[in-house]
Amino acid sequence: MTVTFDQDTWSFQLSNSSTVERLTGQGRPDTLLNYSSIGDFMRLLADDENDLFARLHGPIIDRISKSPIVAAWKAKRAHLKDLKHFPQYRRRAFDLYHDAARAVAAGTADEKQLALVEGLAGEIAQSQIIIPAGQILFHGRADWLLAAQRPYPTFVSTSLHPVVARNRAFARTGIDMKNGKPLVCVLELKAPLPAMWGHVGKSQEYELLLTRNLTFKEVDRYAGTKFEVAHLDVTS
């Protein structure tokens, strides 16, 4: 039986008191958060008027880092020193790879662009990390192209951390949201897919890079007060 990292059961206890307040009996009740579905939890974040996302960031990292399933994926990661294209992609050359992938899809790529796309796609295909069907991943952006373009022509950077995706969505909107409104995509894999592990050093990204030419089908949508949420099924 293939086991996924559970993204449906969310339970957090957030302290509202300092150590001194607790020791002197002046502590306030903790905030308890319990959700049994990713949809309910994402609606919390999408309507977050009290900036709970900032308080949840650390506890979610703790949850991910303690998972034996995630630890097993990390153990299978390819080391950056042994790769050529993924380190370049991570070192802010991602736009070059995305532009090249779109050019390949349009039939306008030159030899250099073709080499970039084939190189990164090849490294992903050879990854020992296989994300199982049923796994939930998160992706933040500022447009609806992921579901509109079938198949999606370029690579997709995802995260195990919903707040990371939320922050990425806001970053991609640009100043005064000139690039669009923040959108967090909740992705459910319908087939096993190889992925590149991008969480290194003190990174808090928990990135899993998926290959190009995947198909994303929208199954649900929620318009929150802070950002929109799209639930998408992912097939190869």
Side-chain angles (χ1 to χ4, degrees), residues 4-5 8 20 22 36 38 51-52 57 68 91 93 117 121 125 134 197-198 206 208 213 220:
T4 61
F5 171 57
D8 263 329
V20 173
R22 289 194 297 271
S36 59
I38 188 56
D51 292 337
L52 270 175
H57 185 75
R91 286 196 294 267
V117 173
W197 178 269
Y206 287 98
L208 289 164
N213 284 339
D220 195 17

Side-chain angles (χ1 to χ4, degrees), residues 2-74:
T2 302
V3 181
T4 61
F5 171 57
D6 180 21
Q7 297 280 35
D8 263 329
T9 306
W10 297 85
S11 180
F12 300 102
Q13 182 171 348
L14 305 177
S15 175
N16 295 313
S17 310
S18 67
T19 302
V20 173
E21 287 174 329
R22 289 194 297 271
L23 290 175
T24 57
Q26 299 177 11
R28 290 157 290 177
D30 292 348
T31 296
L32 302 178
L33 299 173
N34 294 287
Y35 296 91
S36 59
S37 77
I38 188 56
D40 289 343
F41 186 72
M42 292 309 297
R43 283 189 283 275
L44 163 74
L45 294 181
D47 292 326
D48 181 13
E49 299 292 341
N50 299 310
D51 292 337
L52 270 175
F53 76 92
R55 299 183 65 192
L56 288 168
H57 185 75
I60 292 175
I61 288 178
D62 188 57
R63 166 193 171 103
I64 296 172
S65 65
K66 290 180 178 178
S67 166
I69 297 169
V70 176
W73 293 343
K74 180 181 178 181

